[in-house]
């Protein structure tokens, strides 16, 4: 098998430039750039207010998203660990301020450590400046409560599109490495 006879993501994996989750991310980008979009995106909603959780879940479910819910940061992380391996969570939508030992920022950081391809959208009824003060591992988007259906759907779409853009940048870096390696590695005979 030569490098030319495999898909670009498989070629990059053979060269050791991608791991499994990165290859999946690149395949999503390739699929979307070819006009093939996944029918469903998976969203984990973490919200301690039952009414807000029910409304957000209904809005996203009716828009075609597959929704999993949790009522605390700790439960959200356990749910992520349980669900994510089989049904990749595309977006974490979490309340910023929750009771218990894990708030939304801590949850987002823990999820990002497990899989940096997961998009994060925070929501809060408090001042958004709480989020921007202090060092962050990456930019975090915040949706203020109360929010309208259209606002939630737009921000979810933006967060998911941002992940696709990050993947496209990664794709170009990986494929650049693959092309460079292709010129170095002689074809198998």
């Amino acid at each position: 098998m030569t490098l030319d006879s495999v898909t670009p993501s498989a070629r990059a994996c053979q060269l050791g430039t991608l791991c499994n989750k990165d290859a999946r991310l690149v395949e999503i980008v390739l699929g979307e750039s070819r006009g093939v979009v996944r029918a469903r995106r998976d969203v984990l909603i973490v919200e301690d207010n039952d009414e807000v959780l029910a409304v957000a879940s209904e809005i996203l479910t009716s828009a075609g998203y597959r929704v999993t819910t949790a009522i605390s940061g700790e439960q959200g992380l356990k749910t992520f660990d349980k669900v994510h391996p089989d049904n990749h969570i595309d977006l974490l939508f979490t309340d910023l301020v929750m009771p218990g030992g894990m708030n939304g920022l801590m949850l987002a950081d823990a999820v990002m450590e497990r899989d940096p391809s997961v998009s994060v959208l925070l929501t809060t009824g408090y001042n958004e400046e709480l989020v921007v003060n202090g060092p962050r591992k990456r930019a975090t988007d915040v949706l203020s409560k109360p929010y309208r259906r259209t606002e939630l759907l737009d921000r979810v779409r933006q967060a998911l599109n941002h992940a696709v853009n990050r993947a496209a940048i990664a794709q170009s870096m990986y494929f650049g490495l693959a092309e460079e390696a292709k010129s170095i590695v002689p074809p198998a005979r």
Side-chain angles (χ1 to χ4, degrees):
M1 178 185 316
T2 67
L3 286 175
D4 292 326
S5 67
V6 295
T7 65
S9 61
R11 182 183 321 128
C13 285
Q14 287 178 340
L15 296 171
T17 59
L18 293 174
C19 65
N20 286 339
K21 64 185 168 194
D22 292 327
R24 181 186 177 283
L25 192 60
V26 169
E27 288 298 322
I28 289 170
V29 171
L30 287 174
E32 291 183 1
S33 68
R34 292 181 187 139
V36 179
V37 180
R38 280 177 41 199
R40 289 199 129 155
R41 303 302 289 265
D42 294 299
V43 179
L44 172 58
I45 304 174
V46 183
E47 170 63 60
D48 61 311
N49 181 304
D50 292 335
E51 292 174 14
V52 174
L53 179 64
V55 168
S57 180
E58 187 278 323
I59 290 170
L60 294 177
T61 301
S62 68
Y65 295 97
R66 187 177 335 183
V67 173
T68 305
T69 62
I71 59 169
S72 70
E74 293 87 354
Q75 184 186 25
L77 190 57
K78 287 178 186 173
T79 302
F80 179 85
D81 288 339
K82 180 179 177 185
V83 171
H84 189 67
D86 297 323
N87 297 307
H88 184 272
I89 299 293
D90 299 296
L91 174 71
L92 169 65
F93 178 53
T94 182
D95 192 8
L96 175 61
V97 180
M98 294 181 284
M102 181 178 280
N103 65 31
L105 291 174
M106 296 169 155
L107 174 60
D109 287 344
V111 165
M112 292 303 303
E113 286 175 15
R114 286 162 168 76
D115 185 349
S117 73
V118 176
S119 295
V120 175
L121 175 59
L122 296 170
T123 185
T124 185
Y126 298 99
N127 188 343
E128 288 182 29
E129 290 178 16
L130 291 172
V131 178
V132 295
N133 290 338
R136 298 289 308 136
K137 292 182 182 174
R138 70 176 201 170
T140 307
D141 194 15
V142 182
L143 176 62
S144 295
K145 292 179 191 174
Y147 46 79
R148 292 186 169 99
R149 174 186 179 84
T150 55
E151 291 172 316
L152 175 58
L153 292 174
D154 286 345
R155 295 294 280 281
V156 165
R157 204 172 302 112
Q158 287 172 9
L160 291 169
N161 287 340
H162 181 70
V164 169
N165 291 338
R166 284 192 326 262
I169 291 168
Q171 170 193 1
S172 66
M173 288 182 351
Y174 292 138
F175 291 149
L177 290 171
E179 289 302 311
E180 183 178 322
K182 192 168 126 180
S183 67
I184 297 169
V185 178
R189 296 189 194 263

